[in-house]
Amino acid sequence: EEEEEEECCCICLEPLHDEEVMAELGEPLVTSCKHRFHAQCVAELRAAGARQVCPMCRAMLPPSPEKMFDDAVTLYFSVEKHAKRATNNMWRPLNRREKQKIEKVLKFLRACAKQGIGQAHVNLGLMYLEGKGVQMCPEQAFKSFEAAAEHCIPKAQYNLGCLYDTGFGVEQDQKKAVALYKKAAEQGLVEAQFNLACMYEKGFGVDQDQKKAVAMYKEAAMQGNLKSQYNLGLKYQVGEGVEQDNSKAFEWFQTAAKEGLPEAQFSLGIMYEQGTAVGKDGKPLGRPDPERAHRRFLKAAEHGIPQAQLKVGLKYFNGTGSAGKQECEAQAFKWFAKAAAQGLAQAKQLMDVMLV
């Protein structure tokens, strides 16, 4: 019997489905005219100027993967703009037209992914991870991030690490999470640097090492990561992984607070309350400053920090506010109630005292 003739690329005449050839030239690409080529062969044609037509029959070539990716992103954001709820960042149910757009997005991204566009895998992974435009599927998100990570894309390595870290969509493996965070952190991804610092700090998936935690927090803090700046302040405040230094602790808390991190506002309040804050001249104040402490606590309380809400309530409860007795009691009860609603037992106890 004659062997069945192997289907070949119409440009390079190499087998279309040979694994070694596909590894070099990409998966087969089918044009509207049904001619088949390797993706890399079509890319080389475009690079040589033959961007519009099939070399066999002059029919239109499919869009380049880069153009398909751009079109997918444009379509996706046109849907997101109208579907995203302002309150919780989730999407409302899509209408028929929006669903059709999302189908095009998926079609374009999958085609791009097959042609070697690693970022397309990332975008698909995020859609399945967050359930935006598609049904949430952490297992499919894992597959997409895994494929993208093979392209050494730091965001994919980071997201894949998060899935291994939490066991979402895959069996939990914090050692693999650490390895992936390291790869992304080495490429400068600030989120990965922060997560890696947390792993070193807590000893998850790696031997606990406070000095390495501080080093990673510093890298992320220098890139403006607020949580890293705050955690670095905590490290200096208690002398963990670094020599204790209230001046540096105050500096990092202040840096994070200026950008709006409420936890940093609270920590500044504690330093003013304890007299360990630093003045404009860079020297320790050496004495408590209750008014500055209250201003910091109030800012943190307004952003929902329960310990700060308790501090503000205590100021009014003890009658040290500027308002009259009745107003002080009302303010104290209000702030205790806010803190108690977040599970702070001491605030609930103080509310009970006020109700007696």
Side-chain angles (χ1 to χ4, degrees):
E1 292 184 11
E2 292 185 10
E3 291 186 10
E4 186 176 341
E5 186 176 349
E6 189 169 17
E7 190 175 14
C8 295
C9 171
C10 295
I11 298 174
C12 70
L13 304 182
E14 292 287 345
L16 276 171
H17 300 287
D18 183 274
E19 289 186 3
E20 290 185 7
V21 176
M22 285 170 60
E24 180 184 353
L25 299 177
E27 294 191 14
L29 182 68
V30 183
T31 63
S32 58
C33 55
K34 305 303 181 185
H35 287 121
R36 297 171 183 269
F37 309 93
H38 291 119
Q40 184 61 33
C41 293
V42 175
E44 290 174 1
L45 270 183
R46 289 196 179 100
R51 297 176 179 275
Q52 299 299 325
V53 295
C54 169
M56 300 295 295
C57 66
R58 312 299 289 174
M60 294 296 292
L61 283 173
S64 70
E66 292 80 11
K67 184 179 186 307
M68 281 194 291
F69 181 78
D70 290 344
D71 289 345
V73 171
T74 301
L75 276 172
Y76 178 85
F77 283 111
S78 72
V79 175
E80 183 183 51
K81 180 180 178 181
H82 297 287
K84 185 167 65 175
R85 292 191 175 108
T87 52
N88 57 8
N89 205 35
M90 298 299 290
W91 285 18
R92 59 163 172 73
L94 302 183
N95 59 37
R96 181 179 60 82
R97 188 175 180 184
E98 289 166 340
K99 288 179 180 178
Q100 290 173 344
K101 286 185 177 182
I102 289 295
E103 284 301 317
K104 283 188 178 180
V105 170
L106 293 171
K107 179 182 177 181
F108 287 160
L109 289 178
R110 287 166 182 158
C112 291
K114 282 186 177 180
Q115 295 184 60
I117 304 297
Q119 187 61 41
H121 287 294
V122 177
N123 288 28
L124 283 168
L126 290 171
M127 289 177 71
Y128 284 111
L129 182 64
E130 299 170 353
K132 292 182 177 179
V134 296
Q135 185 174 355
M136 183 184 292
C137 182
E139 293 79 12
Q140 185 59 52
F142 173 81
K143 290 178 183 178
S144 295
F145 290 142
E146 189 175 41
E150 292 177 2
H151 294 264
C152 297
I153 298 174
K155 193 71 174 178
Q157 294 166 336
Y158 165 74
N159 284 322
L160 193 60
C162 290
L163 294 181
Y164 274 119
D165 195 358
T166 59
F168 191 56
V170 66
E171 185 177 351
Q172 188 178 36
D173 189 330
Q174 291 185 313
K175 288 185 177 180
K176 285 185 179 179
V178 167
L180 287 159
Y181 288 154
K182 282 182 179 178
K183 289 180 180 180
E186 286 168 0
Q187 296 184 71
L189 189 69
V190 67
E191 299 96 326
Q193 292 169 344
F194 173 76
N195 279 21
L196 185 57
C198 292
M199 301 297 266
Y200 277 123
E201 181 177 20
K202 297 170 184 174
F204 291 162
V206 68
D207 290 339
Q208 192 174 39
D209 191 323
Q210 300 301 337
K211 288 185 177 180
K212 286 185 178 179
V214 167
M216 292 311 306
Y217 281 138
K218 278 185 179 179
E219 286 195 34
M222 294 302 290
Q223 291 196 68
N225 184 267
L226 300 186
K227 289 184 178 179
S228 293
Q229 293 168 350
Y230 173 68
N231 285 1
L232 197 54
L234 291 176
K235 292 294 186 187
Y236 277 112
Q237 190 175 38
V238 300
E240 190 173 64
V242 69
E243 186 177 349
Q244 198 276 339
D245 190 326
N246 280 331
S247 295
K248 287 184 178 178
F250 187 83
E251 180 183 345
W252 283 113
F253 289 149
Q254 203 166 42
T255 300
K258 283 179 180 177
E259 295 300 320
L261 191 71
E263 293 87 349
Q265 295 282 8
F266 177 74
S267 290
L268 286 172
I270 293 293
M271 294 190 77
Y272 278 119
E273 184 180 62
Q274 296 177 345
T276 56
V278 176
K280 292 182 179 180
D281 57 1
K283 296 179 180 179
L285 293 178
R287 53 178 173 75
D289 190 331
E291 285 308 312
R292 284 186 179 179
H294 174 69
R295 288 199 293 270
R296 295 292 184 171
F297 289 146
L298 185 58
K299 286 182 180 180
E302 288 169 346
H303 286 86
I305 304 299
Q307 294 84 356
Q309 292 167 342
L310 176 64
K311 289 283 189 182
V312 173
L314 283 169
K315 181 178 177 66
Y316 286 112
F317 182 76
N318 293 324
T320 54
S322 58
K325 181 180 179 181
Q326 189 174 359
E327 178 63 19
C328 278
E329 289 178 352
Q331 287 292 323
F333 193 86
K334 179 186 81 171
W335 288 109
F336 289 155
K338 287 179 180 289
Q342 297 190 68
L344 207 61
Q346 187 181 353
K348 177 67 170 63
Q349 292 168 1
L350 288 165
M351 287 176 67
D352 293 341
V353 169
M354 294 186 74
L355 291 171
V356 172

